[in-house]
Amino acid sequence: MVILVVMVLGAAIGLLARYLLPGREWVGLFLNPCAAATAAGVVWIALSLAGLGVDSGWLWIGSLVAATLVAVAIPRLLPAHRRRVDAAELDRLQAVKG
């Protein structure tokens, strides 16, 4: 049940990063919060299976750091990729047209 708390915190980190970091016009509205929440949940499960309990600070820190890393990485990496793909698609469409 506590995993929901860490996933909501991860989503909040992702939402905050969406509005604080540049490049949000290239990233979907829910991509950053959902990816950060997923990263927090996956790390929580992995560390729980490794034997850390809910009272362990490393479980919380690891999950929230993973959410932060994902929330910062998406707006940094995705816009450049989207620009390249959009330019290639535009070139393809212009070649088909003319």
Side-chain angles (χ1 to χ4, degrees):
M1 224 29 208
V2 182
I3 191 171
L4 291 176
V5 174
V6 80
M7 289 183 75
V8 167
L9 289 173
I13 291 169
L15 190 62
L16 184 67
R18 172 177 167 64
Y19 290 106
L20 291 179
L21 298 174
R24 70 173 161 253
E25 64 273 1
W26 294 94
V27 179
L29 177 62
F30 295 113
L31 178 63
N32 218 18
C34 289
T38 301
V42 166
V43 170
W44 181 276
I45 290 171
L47 292 177
S48 293
L49 291 174
L52 295 177
V54 176
D55 57 342
S56 172
W58 290 112
L59 185 64
W60 289 91
I61 292 170
S63 298
L64 296 178
V65 165
T68 304
L69 291 175
V70 168
V72 169
I74 287 176
R76 301 256 183 219
L77 301 175
L78 191 60
H81 174 72
R82 292 279 309 266
R83 284 186 195 104
R84 281 193 312 272
V85 170
D86 286 354
E89 182 66 13
L90 182 62
D91 290 343
R92 186 189 70 81
L93 290 173
Q94 288 175 344
V96 169
K97 181 183 175 187

